[in-house]
Amino acid sequence: MTLLAVIVSFYRLPPRAPGLRCAYAWNLVAYSLVVGLCVAIALAPLLQRSAWLLPMPGTRGDCRELGTYESLRTEAALGNLAGRDGAALARAQDIQRHDAVADCLASTTTLWLPLYGLGAAVLVGSGALIYDRARARRDADSSTPSPRRPG
């Protein structure tokens, strides 16, 4: 979020020039992609937790099943601990389950993150372009002298 605030606060696009090969267009694309990436990274934890924001059919259930499998695998590996300290075994199972689910969700989020970053970049680029056109129009209107009324 800090990087995003710094970029938005201090970066200014160069003066608008016509054409797609001008410095303005390249700077707009670079600016949009960097801001889009920052937005996607800032949203990553929310993407992992919200089913409505990141619809991953079957993934969350598969990750939970992977967590259950890791828990059982831990029990099998530490089976001799069950008779001596059941609380330690339960804690080890919880840790392994949590780590497996977190790794699974992180890898899935990593697959989807570029798509969200690109979407944010398109929105930021469009917004910057619209804002810049409006600013140029406003500057052009204020620089033209108003017609004098006959008096």
Side-chain angles (χ1 to χ4, degrees), residues 78 100 129-130 147:
L78 301 175
L129 189 62
I130 290 168

Side-chain angles (χ1 to χ4, degrees):
M1 292 303 292
T2 303
L3 179 59
L4 184 61
V6 168
I7 290 170
V8 170
S9 297
F10 293 110
Y11 185 78
R12 299 288 177 244
L13 289 171
R16 193 171 185 317
L20 289 176
R21 297 187 186 264
C22 67
Y24 176 80
W26 287 109
N27 279 315
L28 180 63
V29 168
Y31 175 76
S32 300
L33 288 174
V34 169
V35 172
L37 178 65
C38 290
V39 167
I41 290 171
L43 287 178
L46 184 62
L47 293 175
Q48 290 177 347
R49 289 175 180 84
S50 300
W52 64 270
L53 190 57
L54 185 63
M56 302 178 291
T59 302
R60 285 187 176 79
D62 292 347
C63 288
R64 280 189 215 100
E65 289 174 10
L66 181 63
T68 303
Y69 169 75
E70 283 300 317
S71 175
L72 293 173
R73 212 171 93 170
T74 301
E75 182 180 2
L78 301 175
N80 61 349
L81 189 60
R84 287 187 235 159
D85 192 358
L89 177 62
R91 179 74 178 135
Q93 285 179 302
D94 285 342
I95 290 170
Q96 289 300 323
R97 180 184 302 118
H98 178 268
D99 289 348
V101 171
D103 287 345
C104 179
L105 286 175
S107 64
T108 304
T109 304
T110 302
L111 292 175
W112 283 82
L113 209 57
L115 179 66
Y116 278 80
L118 187 60
V122 168
L123 291 174
V124 167
S126 300
L129 189 62
I130 290 168
Y131 175 76
D132 196 42
R133 283 184 178 174
R135 184 179 55 166
R137 209 174 295 128
R138 204 173 39 240
D139 291 346
D141 288 346
S142 66
S143 66
T144 58
S146 60
R148 296 189 132 194
R149 287 192 207 164

